[in-house]
Amino acid sequence: QSALTQPASVSGSPGQSITISCTGTSSDVGGYNYVSWYQQHPGKAPKLMIYEVSNRPSGVSNRFSGSKSGNTASLTISGLQAEDEADYYCSSYTSSSTLLYVFGTGTKVTVL
Amino acid sequence: EVQLVESGGGLVKPGGSLRLSCAASGFTFSSYSMNWVRQAPGKGLEWVSSISSSSSYIYYADSVKGRFTISRDNAKNSLYLQMNSLRAEDTAVYYCARESIAARRAVDYWGQGTLVTVSS
């Protein structure tokens, strides 16, 4: 079971929107609506930003939104802000016999 | 306030053992499934192991199966990871992570992590 595939880096100017993709298979992303997204600043623990594909936990800005089509999930950050500069990881529940959860490869978001 | 505090990390030689602990507070520990997730230096997140609230269901990543053992003591609000036959590739920050009840199949709280370094 390989990690979910994410672009290594995405960048945007303040105020712009960016989208991060997360590609898996029918055994994980495509097979379940259990995709979550995490934000991680350097030296810090990850923070849950999106769960069950498109739901935001209390306290997370509505500038963050999630969606899924087939085997690919996406995280969109609108109105990009300097504080959004961080690493982002997707995760999915999987029916693999060797894993319970699989994470994405991670995407570094840079605010220009 | 939910708190997860890991301990037990350190430097260990290849083939050695280490036991990580996670002290939980601020919530009803016995109601939640718990996980260990690790992150090698400069690398991404990797799920390691999960244990259900009553320890009835336990899962491991293939990379640690047969070497690591997850356990919990609900009376002590504690989660553990016994790591044996450690390898250089096990070097990572190990996070204790609570699986959410409201946000299914997602981790809603993470500890600050404890660094395990496997080196001779």
Side-chain angles (χ1 to χ4, degrees):
Chain A
Q1 173 77 47
S2 300
L4 306 176
T5 301
Q6 297 180 231
S9 63
V10 173
S11 62
S13 299
Q16 286 187 328
S17 293
I18 62 168
T19 297
I20 303 168
S21 61
C22 169
T23 301
T25 69
S26 58
S27 295
D28 37 66
V29 174
Y32 306 92
N33 287 325
Y34 293 136
V35 176
S36 49
W37 288 90
Y38 301 90
Q39 176 192 64
Q40 187 180 35
H41 287 106
K44 301 294 186 181
K47 174 187 176 183
L48 179 64
M49 304 302 285
I50 295 288
Y51 67 93
E52 293 179 53
V53 177
S54 60
N55 295 300
R56 273 188 314 276
S58 173
V60 172
S61 171
N62 59 9
R63 297 185 298 104
F64 292 84
S65 61
S67 63
K68 189 184 85 168
S69 177
N71 295 337
T72 299
S74 298
L75 174 72
T76 297
I77 308 174
S78 58
L80 201 60
Q81 298 180 0
E83 69 211 48
D84 300 332
E85 186 162 297
D87 293 324
Y88 291 81
Y89 295 91
C90 61
S91 176
S92 175
Y93 174 78
T94 172
S95 60
S96 164
S97 60
T98 59
L99 289 173
L100 190 62
Y101 298 103
V102 59
F103 282 96
T105 50
T107 298
K108 169 66 177 177
V109 168
T110 300
V111 181
L112 302 172
Chain B
E1 179 194 5
V2 172
Q3 284 200 316
L4 299 170
V5 180
E6 302 95 336
S7 60
L11 175 63
V12 61
K13 290 181 168 55
S17 298
L18 215 52
R19 189 195 196 206
L20 305 184
S21 299
C22 171
S25 62
F27 65 102
T28 305
F29 181 71
S30 59
S31 295
Y32 289 81
S33 293
M34 298 295 295
N35 298 270
W36 288 100
V37 177
R38 68 184 181 183
Q39 186 170 34
K43 302 297 184 181
L45 301 171
E46 180 188 12
W47 172 79
V48 173
S49 183
S50 292
I51 185 168
S52 63
S53 58
S54 61
S55 304
S56 297
Y57 300 96
I58 289 176
Y59 305 90
Y60 298 100
D62 249 13
S63 56
V64 307
K65 199 174 292 183
R67 300 187 299 122
F68 290 12
T69 302
I70 191 172
S71 63
R72 64 190 295 163
D73 186 336
N74 287 344
K76 295 183 177 179
N77 291 337
S78 293
L79 176 72
Y80 306 102
L81 187 67
Q82 177 67 43
M83 304 186 296
N84 299 330
S85 303
L86 283 161
R87 306 166 179 166
E89 53 264 36
D90 295 318
T91 294
V93 172
Y94 284 74
Y95 292 102
C96 168
R98 188 184 86 167
E99 188 164 319
S100 175
I101 291 175
R104 290 178 297 172
R105 302 300 187 181
V107 169
D108 58 359
Y109 284 94
W110 302 69
Q112 85 287 351
T114 186
L115 177 62
V116 172
T117 303
V118 184
S119 174
S120 54

